[in-house]
């Protein structure tokens, strides 16, 4: 993984046609990061089936290898083996930890490392990551006695961590962020005394589920599971993990199946954790044809197959504070869907999107407007006027993987072909996206 962005390729995108068939999206990115991190500090072997073989989890694995953890190569279709070193076994690295483009890697690493007494760590990432706010993690960790330094008073990488003896605390987080919550929970495992995190809204709960499965002393309470407590002193035990398909990657096909005339797409083996299914709730309010079947539990997470079929008339939607944490990564593709709805869609309370891999509100407005969409941008959201005909043109991912894939779907419903610059950034979360698109095309 290099710290400069190497995704400079452009792709010609042919408009028209329909998409049909079955597709399996790669493993859930959030669960993949956690499997690597928790496996690394467990005792004994952890095996992971379906781990996402994409750039972001590869960044997490390479940081963990620098900390002395043996992890087998991450390749499509291979079970990954992690030889856990136990809660106290990470070594001081001789190199800088490169988190690439991955905010989850950097934020969770901070939680993992702050309590490693007398050890020193330096973390950096690509240009996008070096401009993403890290104080939201550094500040709560400071309440536990941690020391994180960086540019702009600790907000921006490169960051340095001098490991300290840390103590438990009761910490209210200002934003509902699973990355912040998970960083605190990771730090809590090595702290003196217990820690409670209180979130303003319930963010994705993969860390809670998986830490419990590894044997951590963790309790979830409060309204909607917003209070999470960890007591240290219990070692984690290596597990066999099966990672479900990522609903955030499935979202591109679910929307494509719904808005491209004549389409019908079944996405198999998709994670249906209720903290992630906001996209399905919104699609149902739009009147989309969504069918979920074959529902089952796999390694502590609900999973199912989802079929999305074209619907001639979709209703506009409203997305606000209550649902944002459950679909935060799906707003770029929902913005594309909004262009096809019969009326005006409103996205509010979404200022978090401005600090993702790019400023996703600004980028989606800019790129879709280039294609003819009618969008108003607000400080915390977008107003999108539906039934505006999009036309094919030169568009740009602006280095954001989810923007690249959302624009690819937009190009399919446009009049005329498009050229998408920096298209291969999709490899950050979905390396086979273009292959799967070819496979579904008819
Ligand atoms: C993630 C949490 C979300 C999400 C990101 C992955 C995680 O970020 O946008 O893609 O794995 O914890 P925030 O925690 O910043 O909301």
């Amino acid at each position: 993984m290099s710290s400069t962005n190497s995704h400079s390729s452009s792709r010609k995108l042919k408009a028209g046609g329909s998409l049909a068939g079955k597709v399996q999206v790669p493993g859930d990115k959030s669960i993949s990061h956690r499997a690597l991190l928790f496996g690394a500090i467990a005792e004994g072997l952890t095996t992971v089936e379906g781990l996402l073989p994409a750039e972001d989890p590869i960044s997490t694995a390479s940081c963990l290898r620098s900390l002395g953890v043996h992890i087998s190569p991450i390749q499509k279709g291979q079970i990954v083996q992690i030889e856990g070193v136990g809660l106290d076994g990470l070594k001081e690295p001789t190199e800088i930890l490169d988190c690439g483009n991955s905010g989850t890697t950097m934020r969770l690493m901070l939680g993992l490392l702050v309590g490693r007494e007398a050890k020193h760590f330096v973390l950096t990432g690509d240009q996008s990551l070096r401009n993403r706010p890290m104080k939201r993690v550094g500040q709560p960790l400071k309440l536990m006695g941690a020391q994180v330094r960086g540019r702009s008073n600790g907000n921006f990488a490169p960051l340095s961590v001098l490991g300290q003896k840390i103590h438990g605390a009761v910490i209210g987080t200002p934003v509902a962020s699973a990355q912040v919550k998970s960083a605190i929970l990771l730090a809590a495992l090595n702290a003196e005394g217990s820690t409670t995190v209180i979130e303003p809204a319930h963010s994705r709960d993969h860390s809670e589920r998986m830490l419990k499965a590894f044997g951590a002393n963790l309790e979830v309470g409060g309204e909607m599971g917003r209070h999470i407590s960890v007591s240290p002193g219990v070692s984690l035990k290596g597990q066999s993990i099966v990672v479900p398909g990522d609903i955030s990657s499935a979202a591109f096909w679910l929307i494509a199946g719904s808005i491209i005339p004549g389409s019908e797409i079944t996405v198999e083996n998709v994670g249906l954790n209720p903290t992630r299914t906001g996209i399905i709730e919104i699609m149902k309010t739009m009147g989309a044809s969504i069918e979920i079947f074959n529902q089952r539990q796999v390694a502590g997470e609900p999973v199912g197959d989802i079929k999305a079929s074209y619907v001639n008339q979709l209703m506009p939607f409203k997305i606000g504070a209550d649902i944002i944490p459950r679909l935060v990564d799906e707003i770029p593709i929902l913005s594309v869907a909004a262009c096809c709805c019969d009326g005006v869609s409103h996205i509010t309370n979404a200022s978090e999107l401005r600090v993702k891999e790019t400023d996703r509100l600004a980028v989606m407005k800019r790129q879709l407007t280039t294609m003819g969409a009618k969008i108003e941008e607000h400080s915390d959201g977008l107003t999108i006027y539906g039934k505006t005909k999009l036309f094919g043109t030169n568009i740009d991912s602006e280095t954001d993987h989810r923007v690249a894939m959302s624009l690819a779907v937009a190009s399919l419903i446009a009049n005329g072909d498009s050229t998408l610059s920096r298209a291969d950034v999709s490899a950050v979360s979905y390396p086979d996206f273009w292959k799967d698109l070819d496979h579904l095309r008819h």
Side-chain angles (χ1 to χ4, degrees), residues 241-265:
I241 296 170
V242 183
V243 182
D246 197 327
I247 191 166
S248 298
S249 298
F252 303 109
W253 306 129
L254 300 181
I255 297 293
S258 305
I259 64 174
I260 302 170
S263 297
E264 184 181 287
I265 304 176

Side-chain angles (χ1 to χ4, degrees), residues 33-66:
H33 284 296
R34 286 154 176 84
L36 290 163
L37 285 155
F38 302 157
I41 52 169
E43 278 169 9
L45 187 70
T46 289
T47 58
V48 194
E49 193 182 324
L51 192 134
L52 170 66
E55 291 177 10
D56 271 12
I58 287 172
S59 293
T60 292
S62 91
C63 290
L64 290 169
R65 289 191 186 108
S66 302

Side-chain angles (χ1 to χ4, degrees), residues 29-30 33-34 104 107-108 132 136 176-180 182 204 328-329 352 356-357 360 402:
K29 185 154 80 69
S30 295
H33 284 296
R34 286 154 176 84
T104 310
R107 293 188 176 128
L108 270 59
R132 294 181 66 187
R136 55 176 58 198
S177 159
Q179 295 178 352
V180 176
S182 303
R204 63 189 68 188
V328 64
D329 292 335
E352 267 300 295
K356 294 293 179 190
E357 285 81 334
R360 286 182 173 159
R402 298 202 197 281

Side-chain angles (χ1 to χ4, degrees), residues 34 112 401:
R34 286 154 176 84
L112 180 77
H401 56 126

